[in-house]
Amino acid sequence: MNPATLSGGRADRSMTWGMRGARMMGWASFGLAAAFVLAPERIARTFGLEGKENLIRAFGAQELLAGMGSLSVDAAPAMWSRAAGDVVHIGTLATALRSPDEGRRRNVAIGLAALVGFLAVDTVIAARLGSERSRAKGEQRDYSDRSGFPKSRSPAAGGRGGRQEAREGEPVPAQ
Amino acid sequence: MKALVWHGKEDIRHETVPDPEIEDDRDAIIKVTSCAICGSDLHLFHNLIPAMMPGDIVGHEMMGEVVEVGRGVSKLSKGDRIVIPFTINCDECDQCRRGNFSLCERSNRNKEMADKLYGHAPAGLFGYTHLTGGYPGGQAEYLRVPFADGTHIKVPDSLTDEQVLFLGDIFPTGWQAAVQCEIERSDTVAVWGAGPVGQMAVRSAIILGARQVVVIDRLQERLSMAAAAGAETINFEEESVVERLDALTGGKGPDKCIDAVGLEAHAASHIDSVMDRMKQMTMTANDRAHVLREMIYVCRGGGTLSIPGVYSGLIDKVPFGIAMNKGLTFRMGQTHVRRWTDDLTRRIEEGEIDPSFVITHSAPLEEGPGLYRTFRNKQDSCVKVVLKP
């Protein structure tokens, strides 16, 4: 709470849990991006993905973009792209399940479980954001009775009888 | 008191904050009776205007009753009913004397910072960025009005809050946009954006005698409101703006174009809008300038572009060569509110126009945070929100 604020309730906020979730996942993306870009060799060793260091770096770039998008005003498409990224990560990590090293297979299993969790969270948040922002179809109101002109006027725009009406070829004087 | 407080991107909260006090002899305090959410509040909501600080009270369309005046205030008394212009005016500097009230040279208390960014600082504004003074806004129960003698519009008791509230911003903003067009009776005026300022610009252009007014938007409810005043409408999601404007003007293009959209143009199927949106998402740009580019393209040679829509920073890919070769005139700026309000108040009193037509939602202040979302999402056919503290 800001020091100038005396009290405030969460119910009085404009942020929905979908928005807050997107922010949280956006910052998580930055953390993953940093790990993927700065320590791809270590990640490859941990999960038995040796030789795929450049792919891991590319995942880092993708996480960076997804993170920036998730923190933006248009977080829903970024969250869907995060979910798509999760699927690609799962597919890549699943290839390491064939590792002969039991320890690495355990790491992969833990990593896959985490990624599935991320996928579920990202999907729920993306869907939630979409529903929060959507407009109800077919329920647009008709405001054709709101002319704003209490006195009746002719249907054409020109010659409406306004006191300020200009004469032919003569600009309206500034006020 | 209760107020709507900015805490960051998309984060407006209804909170209890300290009551305002007289800080200078020229201050007054008003009890806010009505305030509104403005389209430019959404730019703050999206954190696209730099130099907002967590804890800032938002809101710059408000009116109320004077409850306290400083010793140096001579034109106001307790009990006066006033609308507050969103620009703070000292009434003494050279720009105020010229009627350039949005460029007041004394009211921006962060002038040094703004001078460095803008070259020369604009006026202080309520409920806006610290580059314009960081003054607490009026989406609150009470408001301190600096330079109170110059920063008010007295309104007749015979008119309701809803009729006069918009004298503080959107009505004079739409009016100034139309006046800047120097409309002639043969003119076609095209207005991009059928939001509140666009609606006021449509009606102002009609009052000022335009032969034809065309409004461009994608939301049917807003187009229906513009059509109610007599405007031709173009839904840019259903038809080509360029082709339809050509058809409506015999291939000449509109003589005058008004950008009532500004930096958050809708990212539709236009490739430049999509690119702008991506740049915003990746924090490499602030402004989505599709409307500006389209106006430059479609405007008749020798025409005028009037820009009441807010832009905040550097704009990419503006076809300035086209503008130069077509000899276009650009008019823009924050509104010199008080330059127009005597005339506009009289027009309301005489029944020529009733700006309350634009109000679609009215609610207690506490519902403000949710209504920011409703307004931003264009849900529930929302065009204009009025809040009652």
Side-chain angles (χ1 to χ4, degrees):
Chain A
M1 190 181 297
N2 186 274
T5 300
L6 301 176
S7 72
R10 295 186 74 82
D12 299 333
R13 294 180 176 190
S14 60
M15 286 200 87
T16 60
W17 71 258
M19 295 175 187
R20 285 196 293 273
R23 299 284 160 83
M24 190 179 67
M25 299 312 287
W27 289 112
S29 273
F30 286 147
L32 283 173
F36 287 163
V37 170
L38 298 175
E41 294 85 3
R42 186 167 176 182
I43 291 169
R45 273 199 311 277
T46 304
F47 294 105
L49 293 170
E50 285 89 346
K52 292 183 177 173
E53 287 80 2
N54 284 336
L55 181 62
I56 293 171
R57 287 191 186 93
F59 286 166
Q62 176 251 323
E63 285 290 345
L64 186 65
L65 289 173
M68 287 193 284
S70 302
L71 295 176
S72 79
V73 169
D74 302 300
M79 290 305 298
W80 283 120
S81 83
R82 262 191 62 92
D86 293 336
V87 173
V88 174
H89 294 180
I90 288 170
T92 305
L93 195 54
T95 63
L97 276 173
R98 293 190 294 266
S99 171
D101 184 319
E102 188 181 337
R104 285 184 168 182
R105 284 204 305 275
R106 191 174 60 246
N107 291 344
V108 170
I110 293 169
L112 284 172
L115 282 171
V116 169
F118 273 129
L119 175 60
V121 172
D122 289 341
T123 304
V124 168
I125 292 173
R128 176 73 187 190
L129 284 172
S131 68
E132 285 173 359
R133 296 284 293 261
S134 68
R135 284 161 45 87
K137 290 198 188 312
E139 291 186 11
Q140 290 92 344
R141 291 189 202 135
D142 179 11
Y143 294 134
S144 56
D145 58 344
R146 291 174 174 241
S147 76
F149 297 127
K151 295 175 183 172
S152 62
R153 285 168 176 272
S154 61
R160 283 179 172 267
R163 187 154 33 78
Q164 190 63 32
E165 186 177 330
R167 280 171 290 183
E168 184 75 41
E170 187 177 321
V172 173
Q175 302 298 297
Chain B
M1 67 169 182
K2 291 289 188 181
L4 299 190
V5 181
W6 187 93
H7 282 269
K9 188 187 291 180
E10 297 177 305
D11 192 357
I12 301 281
R13 304 177 196 173
H14 179 248
E15 295 180 330
T16 303
V17 299
D19 288 351
E21 296 174 348
I22 297 284
E23 297 176 15
D24 184 277
D25 284 349
R26 290 171 290 182
D27 289 352
I29 306 285
I30 66 162
K31 183 180 191 322
V32 178
T33 53
S34 297
C35 56
I37 302 176
C38 180
S40 52
D41 286 326
L42 293 183
H43 305 325
L44 306 179
F45 190 56
H46 292 157
N47 199 19
L48 292 171
I49 306 291
M52 287 294 288
M53 304 284 284
D56 288 345
I57 299 172
V58 288
H60 56 266
E61 272 189 299
M62 57 268 163
M63 64 178 296
E65 181 185 326
V66 176
V67 292
E68 193 175 351
V69 293
R71 283 178 300 177
V73 175
S74 59
K75 296 178 182 172
L76 285 175
S77 313
K78 281 186 189 176
D80 284 348
R81 182 168 173 255
I82 57 175
V83 172
I84 307 298
F86 74 94
T87 56
I88 301 171
N89 311 135
C90 75
D91 251 8
E92 294 166 349
C93 72
D94 185 50
Q95 292 283 24
C96 280
R97 286 200 303 270
R98 289 167 184 256
N100 296 330
F101 295 109
S102 73
L103 300 170
C104 173
E105 293 167 325
R106 292 186 184 171
S107 60
N108 189 338
R109 59 186 177 182
N110 293 330
K111 188 173 184 308
E112 282 186 19
M113 178 168 67
D115 277 344
K116 285 188 175 121
L117 193 65
Y118 293 140
H120 302 282
L125 307 180
F126 289 101
Y128 217 59
T129 162
H130 284 253
L131 288 169
T132 53
Y135 290 97
Q139 288 168 7
E141 289 180 311
Y142 293 91
L143 174 75
R144 179 176 79 91
V145 183
F147 298 102
D149 273 342
T151 310
H152 72 268
I153 303 151
K154 280 187 182 167
V155 287
D157 288 338
S158 58
L159 299 174
T160 65
D161 277 18
E162 285 70 18
Q163 286 176 295
V164 294
L165 172 61
F166 305 131
L167 284 167
D169 185 350
I170 58 169
F171 187 18
T173 296
W175 183 261
Q176 178 173 298
V179 170
Q180 285 178 162
C181 287
E182 298 187 348
I183 292 168
E184 298 175 28
R185 208 165 73 180
S186 58
D187 281 350
T188 291
V189 178
V191 180
W192 274 255
V197 168
Q199 298 290 347
M200 296 299 168
V202 164
R203 283 149 183 86
S204 299
I206 288 169
I207 290 172
L208 291 170
R211 183 182 66 81
Q212 178 175 241
V213 177
V214 186
V215 67
I216 300 140
D217 205 293
R218 70 188 176 94
L219 302 174
Q220 199 51 47
E221 65 272 20
R222 295 184 177 204
L223 290 171
S224 75
M225 189 182 276
E232 295 285 341
T233 62
I234 300 176
N235 186 328
F236 67 81
E237 285 188 336
E238 295 176 354
E239 56 188 327
S240 161
V241 173
V242 176
E243 288 174 13
R244 182 79 194 289
L245 282 174
D246 273 348
L248 287 167
T249 58
K252 293 177 177 175
D255 306 276
K256 311 288 162 60
C257 298
I258 295 175
D259 176 356
V261 175
L263 67 95
E264 292 196 77
H266 182 68
S269 53
H270 307 97
I271 188 67
D272 65 317
S273 295
V274 175
M275 292 295 290
D276 286 341
R277 177 72 69 102
M278 288 174 66
K279 288 180 201 165
Q280 272 185 333
M281 284 177 70
T282 53
M283 302 173 205
T284 54
N286 256 25
D287 302 71
R288 301 199 296 263
H290 172 74
V291 167
L292 194 54
R293 297 184 194 107
E294 191 162 76
M295 289 201 313
I296 290 171
Y297 186 76
V298 301
C299 188
R300 188 180 187 185
T304 297
L305 309 188
S306 178
I307 308 170
V310 171
Y311 287 89
S312 75
L314 304 173
I315 298 176
D316 200 9
K317 304 288 187 293
V318 171
F320 211 73
I322 299 177
M324 184 271 165
N325 281 288
K326 288 169 77 172
L328 302 180
T329 298
F330 287 71
R331 303 287 303 274
M332 64 193 85
Q334 297 281 7
T335 310
H336 307 300
V337 176
R338 282 186 41 238
R339 191 191 290 183
W340 318 110
T341 47
D342 286 351
D343 180 38
L344 296 180
T345 305
R346 192 171 65 249
R347 288 174 190 270
I348 297 170
E349 270 190 294
E350 292 176 357
E352 187 175 7
I353 185 167
D354 180 354
S356 66
F357 75 89
V358 78
I359 302 169
T360 56
H361 290 66
S362 186
L365 184 68
E366 66 205 53
E367 293 182 25
L371 283 165
Y372 262 84
R373 281 199 314 271
T374 303
F375 183 38
R376 187 274 300 276
N377 296 340
K378 316 287 192 295
Q379 290 165 328
D380 197 28
S381 299
C382 183
V383 179
K384 187 69 178 176
V385 176
V386 170
L387 298 171
K388 298 287 186 176

